[in-house]
Amino acid sequence: MTECDVVIVGAGPAGSATALALLGAGVDRIVLIDNPKPRPFSIGESAAPDVATKLRLLGCSDNLADLGHTPYQANLSRWGGERRYDDFLHRATGHGWHLDRARFDRDLRDQAADRGATTMRPAKLEHLTFEADQWQLMVQQEQRTHRVRCRYLVDASGRHSALARQLGAERKRIDTLTALAWTVPDGTALSGLSMVESCAEGWWYATCLPNGQGVVSLMSDADLIRQHNLRDSETLRHLWRHSVELKRWLPPSDAASIDPVAFAAHSGFLTQPVGPGWIAVGDAMAAFDPLASAGIANALGDTLAARPAILGWLEQHSLAPAEAYADRANSGIERFLREWLLQYSRETQWLDQPFWQRRRKTHEKAFR
């Protein structure tokens, strides 16, 4: 039997950062349960400028350049028939970062372990019960079943909200957006830039990874991907050739291999992000359209906001800080929905296409 104060399900940025936030507050008995799914690469590289500030608040180094990440200076977009260049130098917040996501995630996880968190990886939560103000967990790791007892649970399991839904929380899904992404050998033309371009099927995203490779992604709805056979390499190459902005920066090649990997990119949120003895953070609490470019920064912000709620329960069994966390979550979701719908409503070139019709209808319904 392993006894601890807090069990965190998921050891991505949100889970590891929650561990760091709690360790910094003196909670030293923390277990991270992680069941990673291998991916050839990650498309979640563009981090907003405030990510460095949030890392400092977690007691981490904000010198991201020395950690293998590269400055993210501007957004380039072709949207609504208009080409825009948004340079961060004109903002008081400074530049953002293009992250080596595998390294970023590993560094946060290693820092949590170095400061005292125990990591069970790969491991899977099989069963849990709540008895006598404590959670009793059965965890499967390397063909062995471990019993873990804790006072508090954190769901950092990502878009599936696996833990919160097991506890009866409802997750609302707004769309079925999916990213079809692949890498190209040389993306240096987009060094320091993130590019988006709307198209009939959805929109393109491209940037340069810290290793110099480019990443190209077509964002569309899951059913449209199936209907139009968008996973097919020649179909993607054809659409790439007919882009306007994307092909200027990363020209398509007949010889280039296109082997897309599908990533979930849909928006959704828990209607109840916190309850007695548990809380959800990061994508498990609310996941937003990648168009918002706020995933990592939001995840780190959630962990800092979750710390008082967790401490309130551990120290006094108080739900008052948890109510403040829920209010913050609701405000953030409402703000995202307004901005998300407004951004999609600005594109009027393909009003006869299903992808855009769906978002137009959602906008009209929301602001009727």
Side-chain angles (χ1 to χ4, degrees):
M1 169 75 75
T2 298
E3 299 205 20
C4 61
D5 295 310
V6 178
V7 165
I8 302 170
V9 178
S16 297
T18 301
L20 289 167
L22 293 174
L23 288 162
V27 181
D28 56 7
R29 298 194 308 164
I30 298 172
V31 171
L32 283 157
I33 298 173
D34 194 30
N35 190 26
K37 295 181 179 179
R39 293 279 194 179
F41 62 95
S42 174
I43 60 171
E45 318 84 8
S46 298
D50 61 346
V51 70
T53 299
K54 291 172 180 176
L55 286 170
R56 283 198 302 273
L57 292 172
L58 290 167
C60 302
S61 171
D62 63 350
N63 193 348
L64 292 170
D66 284 354
L67 298 174
H69 313 293
T70 54
Y72 163 31
Q73 305 284 7
N75 288 315
L76 176 66
S77 65
R78 184 172 289 275
W79 199 270
E82 180 184 2
R83 186 178 189 268
R84 296 187 60 185
Y85 184 85
D86 180 16
D87 192 330
F88 290 164
L89 290 176
H90 298 136
R91 303 183 187 181
T93 52
H95 65 74
W97 293 91
H98 281 146
L99 302 177
D100 176 337
R101 270 298 303 276
R103 181 169 181 174
F104 183 82
D105 293 4
R106 184 179 64 249
D107 285 349
L108 282 181
R109 190 169 60 247
D110 288 349
Q111 288 185 69
D114 290 345
R115 298 183 198 180
T118 298
T119 302
M120 301 177 71
R121 186 176 193 265
K124 185 178 180 181
L125 175 62
E126 296 286 356
H127 181 70
L128 68 101
T129 57
F130 190 64
E131 302 173 6
D133 288 339
Q134 289 193 323
W135 297 99
Q136 314 285 334
L137 286 69
M138 305 296 286
V139 180
Q140 189 74 21
Q141 183 184 26
E142 297 179 347
Q143 300 182 337
R144 291 184 55 193
T145 300
H146 301 265
R147 296 175 61 203
V148 180
R149 185 160 58 196
C150 69
R151 299 163 59 201
Y152 203 91
L153 289 176
V154 177
D155 187 349
S157 64
R159 277 179 161 87
H160 295 297
S161 303
L163 176 59
R165 289 192 296 113
Q166 191 171 344
L167 296 174
E170 178 188 5
R171 185 172 181 101
K172 287 191 176 295
R173 186 163 173 163
I174 298 171
D175 56 41
T176 63
L177 191 68
T178 302
L180 296 178
W182 62 97
T183 57
V184 297
D186 184 4
T188 53
L190 283 173
S191 181
L193 301 175
S194 285
M195 190 225 73
V196 297
E197 177 182 353
S198 60
C199 61
E201 296 75 15
W203 52 278
W204 293 102
Y205 166 81
T207 193
C208 179
L209 300 173
N211 64 5
Q213 288 184 316
V215 61
V216 179
S217 179
L218 178 64
M219 307 285 184
S220 191
D221 288 334
D223 64 320
L224 299 179
I225 290 172
R226 293 189 296 270
Q227 181 181 339
H228 298 294
N229 195 28
L230 296 182
R231 286 180 183 246
D232 176 69
S233 61
E234 289 310 309
T235 301
L236 288 171
R237 199 186 312 274
H238 173 78
L239 294 176
W240 189 356
R241 287 197 190 102
H242 285 80
S243 66
V244 178
E245 201 67 44
L246 173 62
K247 70 180 182 183
R248 290 177 56 185
W249 295 87
L250 300 178
S253 165
D254 290 338
S257 173
I258 299 179
D259 186 16
V261 178
F263 294 86
H266 59 270
S267 300
F269 57 91
L270 288 174
T271 57
Q272 179 189 353
V274 63
W278 70 271
I279 199 167
V281 296
D283 284 350
M285 188 268 285
F288 300 137
D289 190 311
L291 199 59
S293 296
I296 295 295
N298 281 350
L300 299 183
D302 287 348
T303 66
L304 293 164
R307 178 167 55 189
I310 298 170
L311 295 176
W313 181 265
L314 292 176
E315 295 170 358
Q316 301 175 351
H317 265 46
S318 171
L319 278 173
E323 292 170 358
Y325 180 82
D327 289 341
R328 172 188 178 275
N330 291 335
S331 296
I333 292 166
E334 290 174 3
R335 182 173 61 255
F336 159 74
L337 289 173
R338 288 194 302 271
E339 295 173 356
W340 174 73
L341 291 171
L342 179 61
Q343 179 68 9
Y344 276 108
S345 72
R346 288 174 175 151
E347 180 52 77
T348 59
Q349 296 180 90
W350 296 284
L351 296 182
D352 60 337
Q353 296 297 316
F355 180 89
W356 298 97
Q357 286 177 342
R358 293 168 183 177
R359 284 144 182 87
R360 173 72 56 174
K361 288 177 181 177
T362 303
H363 182 270
E364 291 172 350
K365 183 179 179 181
F367 294 96
R368 182 178 298 162

